[in-house]
Amino acid sequence: DAKTTQPPSMDCAEGRAANLPCNHSTISGNEYVYWYRQIHSQGPQYIIHGLKNNETNEMASLIITEDRKSSTLILPHATLRDTAVYYCIVRAMNTGFQKLVFGTGTRLLVSP
Amino acid sequence: DAGVIQSPRHEVTEMGQEVTLRCKPISGHDYLFWYRQTMMRGLELLIYFNNNVPIDDSGMPEDRFSAKMPNASFSTLKIQPSEPRDSAVYFCASSLSSGVSAYGYTFGSGTRLTVV
């Protein structure tokens, strides 16, 4: 799986949008971008994934650049409960089952 | 569905003792994973199963660790003998194999193991 680079930490004010960047400059054409988060003392939780188009669900939006070398996870209105470590992972999906390999992620702190 | 269920939530044991961690995956999921998380090494994949068969155990640290999946609804991770450096949070996760799974992996709440 391609390596990803994320900032180690970010801060965000409650109610504001949180924009978490991820670089994956060596991503291959068959690799998807996945985002998970881990709230303290809990197991990681799936957020969203995408291949090349922007994606949105009830939790977040995923913006992938046209060259697919980077992406941004957007939490439109961050709450205190969004404080967590966010992991960006790239993973191929059409070459047999590929395991998820977690990096160090971005620790997001949402403050009042 | 109750999600992935792990037991116990917390385990404290003495060095040299055998420890068994348990996991019940989501019904219908055909992949099961064991991860370990420490401050120093982050989340590490230890082993995973497909249809109850171990596929990749390259992450298992040493022979003291073993994992089994006797049926589709149960898996164990055993450490014998345990050592203080095994102290960590152990997560179990399950997944469907079909294409791009909409929800990826589902993780359990973890077992916090402390070896003294």
Side-chain angles (χ1 to χ4, degrees):
Chain A
D1 289 344
K3 182 178 174 62
T4 62
T5 304
Q6 299 178 253
S9 63
M10 293 184 64
D11 294 325
C12 180
E14 187 178 20
R16 304 297 295 270
N19 299 290
L20 293 93
C22 179
N23 286 320
H24 31 79
S25 58
T26 60
I27 192 170
S28 300
N30 65 342
E31 289 182 316
Y32 285 73
V33 180
Y34 279 77
W35 283 83
Y36 281 74
R37 74 179 182 183
Q38 186 174 23
I39 296 170
H40 182 61
S41 298
Q42 298 181 22
Q45 175 191 25
Y46 166 86
I47 301 174
I48 198 168
H49 73 277
L51 181 63
K52 60 177 71 174
N53 298 321
N54 297 338
E55 303 287 345
T56 296
N57 63 20
E58 66 278 4
M59 290 183 68
S61 295
L62 173 60
I63 308 298
I64 303 174
T65 58
E66 191 169 343
D67 63 6
R68 301 207 327 118
K69 294 183 184 300
S70 66
S71 61
T72 301
L73 179 75
I74 301 173
L75 308 179
H77 306 286
T79 71
L80 300 180
R81 288 177 295 180
D82 292 322
T83 291
V85 178
Y86 288 77
Y87 298 97
C88 170
I89 303 165
V90 294
R91 176 183 178 219
M93 287 305 299
N94 62 356
T95 58
F97 190 84
Q98 298 288 326
K99 54 193 178 186
L100 274 179
V101 178
F102 288 82
T104 54
T106 295
R107 187 173 298 274
L108 176 68
L109 175 62
V110 181
S111 303
Chain B
D1 199 319
V4 176
I5 300 172
Q6 292 187 246
S7 63
R9 285 299 309 274
H10 302 274
E11 176 80 35
V12 180
T13 191
E14 292 185 347
M15 182 174 62
Q17 296 298 306
E18 178 180 294
V19 176
T20 300
L21 312 181
R22 296 172 175 80
C23 176
K24 176 178 169 55
I26 290 176
S27 177
H29 280 189
D30 55 352
Y31 277 83
L32 183 139
F33 309 84
W34 283 100
Y35 283 83
R36 177 174 68 175
Q37 187 171 35
T38 61
M39 287 292 292
M40 292 297 294
R41 301 175 68 90
L43 268 166
E44 303 174 277
L45 177 63
L46 301 178
I47 185 172
Y48 74 93
F49 296 81
N50 176 220
N51 291 322
N52 313 337
V53 176
I55 303 300
D56 183 352
D57 65 354
S58 59
M60 296 285 263
E62 48 197 275
D63 292 344
R64 297 184 297 105
F65 285 69
S66 63
K68 294 182 179 179
M69 192 165 185
N71 57 62
S73 59
F74 183 66
S75 177
T76 60
L77 178 67
K78 186 175 294 187
I79 308 172
Q80 166 64 21
S82 58
E83 297 182 2
R85 60 190 167 126
D86 301 330
S87 297
V89 181
Y90 291 80
F91 289 103
C92 176
S94 69
S95 174
L96 275 172
S97 63
S98 55
V100 181
S101 170
Y103 298 103
Y105 292 17
T106 301
F107 282 79
S109 299
T111 295
R112 180 174 296 276
L113 174 65
T114 304
V115 183
V116 299

